[in-house]
Amino acid sequence: MNQDIYVVIEHLRGQVAEISFVMLAGARELAKGLGGNVVAVLLGHKAQGLAGNPSAGAGQCLAADRVLSLDHPALADFTSDAYQKVLTDLIRKDQPRAVLFGSTSIGTDLASTLSIKLGLPMVSSCRSFSAGGKFVSQICGGKIMAEGDLPGPTALVTMVPGGYKAEQGQSTQSPAITQVEVPALESLRVTLASYIEPESGDVDIAKEPVLVSVGRGIQNQDNIVLAEELARALGGAVSGSRPVIDQGWLVTSRLVGKSGKSVKPKVYLALGISGAPEHVEGITNSDTIIAINTDPAAPIFGVAKYGSEIDLFDLIEVLTEKVKQSKGG
Ligand SMILES: Cc1cc2nc3c(=O)[nH]c(=O)nc-3n(C[C@H](O)[C@H](O)[C@H](O)COP(=O)(O)OP(=O)(O)OC[C@H]3O[C@@H](n4cnc5c(N)ncnc54)[C@H](O)[C@@H]3O)c2cc1C
């Protein structure tokens, strides 16, 4: 048993997932108090390059003290079967103080099955740590923040975004990489048949600098055009809350929140959105949230930097016009 914090790096199609950097930032905070190292665990095949230059940009190395690389053709793509076998072996052998997983379909699959297999405690939906070894978990869809001492001997933790910025888990220096022997991976019950790319063509709201986001307050599909005009004037895109997508007023790729995308624009303008936890979960990485809602008690005002109780229909066209004028027509 040692005080090291292991972080299972999620990656897809040669890109490190943002949650991996968030976890590295959390691990650093935890390790500070516990006196251990931050260790990135990289499962894959010929994937070692991801440790040093994950997204082909400076400052995007994994901010870990070292990387354990577990390389095998059967680990090229995630399968629960192969990843579980390898991690079971590693955790049994090394006994770190904690192993962090993303609160994603991959991370939740792994952490929960490993918890049962290894008889280790699991902490789910963790948002942040304190240096003293405490965790804060965002439970009941974000309605309750639960705080506790990290259980032992090895805590398996799934982490949600929101507690740390991805940049905090990035470094300009490549960490040292150690190759770890992979156990036999024959007779796997599950293998990947093929990877189906999601349909593309729409804008990626996770990359837009400005989002004009509409909620049920927009009332009907005909009014979406008002938001589109404002977004165009601001140089951004339109996104929406769940009811707007469920009604078919916007396509699914524009959904923000728990079942949609986590966004990080410079400006997130929420028009007629109440601020339910499932929605807020996806906007906490925005630089500035501006809320327009006629209900002064709407929870969105709790996360917004600026807000107004004005009727969105009294604002939207006037604002579009003002933005156009300020840009010279
Ligand atoms: C498992 C699960 C996953 C979910 N995932 C998501 C998700 O990914 N994303 C998501 O968004 N939701 C998600 N939800 C749904 C979520 O709980 C809320 O129901 C939803 O976010 C509410 O959307 P809304 O704010 O647009 O609507 P409402 O809650 O109905 O709010 C509408 C708001 O508009 C305001 N308003 C009305 N008219 C005006 C006007 N003229 N001017 C200004 N303000 C006005 C009202 O005051 C109100 O606050 C999920 C729910 C569950 C259970």
Side-chain angles (χ1 to χ4, degrees), residues 49 104 177 183 213 246 248 258 283 286:
T104 58
I177 301 178
S213 207
D246 286 351
K258 191 186 193 74
I283 64 174
S286 307

Side-chain angles (χ1 to χ4, degrees), residues 11-309:
H11 55 94
L12 186 69
R13 312 271 104 187
Q15 292 279 315
V16 172
E18 194 158 298
I19 190 68
S20 302
F21 296 116
V22 171
M23 291 193 284
L24 287 167
R28 179 63 62 199
E29 183 136 22
L30 193 53
K32 247 188 265 162
L34 297 173
N37 287 312
V38 174
V39 181
V41 180
L42 188 58
L43 277 65
H45 185 43
K46 300 185 175 147
Q48 293 89 335
L50 295 178
N53 189 13
S55 306
Q60 298 206 322
C61 300
L62 304 177
D65 296 311
R66 61 179 201 277
V67 176
L68 301 180
S69 165
L70 296 109
D71 186 274
H72 192 282
L75 300 172
D77 292 287
F78 169 76
T79 64
S80 186
D81 215 7
Y83 273 48
Q84 260 184 58
K85 277 200 173 128
V86 170
L87 289 170
T88 302
D89 209 54
L90 184 74
I91 296 167
R92 263 204 194 117
K93 197 156 46 72
D94 291 4
Q95 298 181 29
R97 179 64 187 86
V99 186
L100 312 189
F101 302 83
S103 183
T104 58
S105 43
I106 290 178
T108 310
D109 179 327
L110 287 173
S112 53
T113 44
L114 288 169
S115 170
I116 294 165
K117 231 173 163 177
L118 295 164
L120 292 174
M122 177 174 161
V123 175
S124 58
S125 305
C126 175
R127 196 180 144 95
S128 60
F129 298 104
S130 65
K134 287 200 183 302
F135 68 86
V136 176
S137 265
Q138 182 177 306
I139 58 173
C140 297
K143 286 198 173 77
I144 298 173
M145 292 296 191
E147 191 183 299
D149 292 316
L150 203 65
T154 298
L156 306 180
V157 183
T158 60
M159 281 196 77
V160 295
Y164 305 94
K165 296 254 183 212
E167 300 80 68
Q168 294 173 264
Q170 294 171 348
S171 161
T172 47
Q173 288 181 342
S174 293
I177 301 178
T178 309
Q179 291 296 333
V180 177
E181 202 180 325
V182 175
L185 287 176
E186 291 102 40
S187 62
L188 294 170
R189 292 164 304 170
V190 181
T191 52
L192 185 83
S194 70
Y195 179 82
I196 302 169
E197 287 282 352
E199 278 178 35
S200 59
D202 194 24
V203 294
D204 183 355
I205 56 169
K207 293 187 178 148
E208 287 293 322
V210 176
L211 285 175
V212 175
S213 207
V214 290
R216 206 195 304 267
I218 197 76
Q219 290 181 0
N220 58 51
Q221 184 153 26
D222 293 343
N223 291 331
I224 297 286
V225 70
L226 300 173
E228 281 170 347
E229 274 169 28
L230 177 56
R232 207 172 303 121
L234 289 166
V238 175
S239 56
S241 67
R242 176 85 170 262
V244 172
I245 307 309
D246 286 351
Q247 300 276 354
W249 301 342
L250 283 174
V251 290
T252 312
S253 53
R254 303 291 180 111
L255 175 61
V256 175
K258 191 186 193 74
S259 18
K261 287 203 169 162
S262 284
V263 296
K264 45 174 185 176
K266 286 196 188 319
V267 176
Y268 187 82
L269 176 60
L271 300 171
I273 293 177
S274 59
E278 295 84 3
H279 185 83
V280 169
E281 193 174 315
I283 64 174
T284 46
N285 283 329
S286 307
D287 282 352
T288 304
I289 298 170
I290 305 171
I292 308 298
N293 196 308
T294 44
D295 176 6
I300 191 79
F301 289 124
V303 292
K305 185 162 186 187
Y306 304 103
S308 169
E309 293 159 27

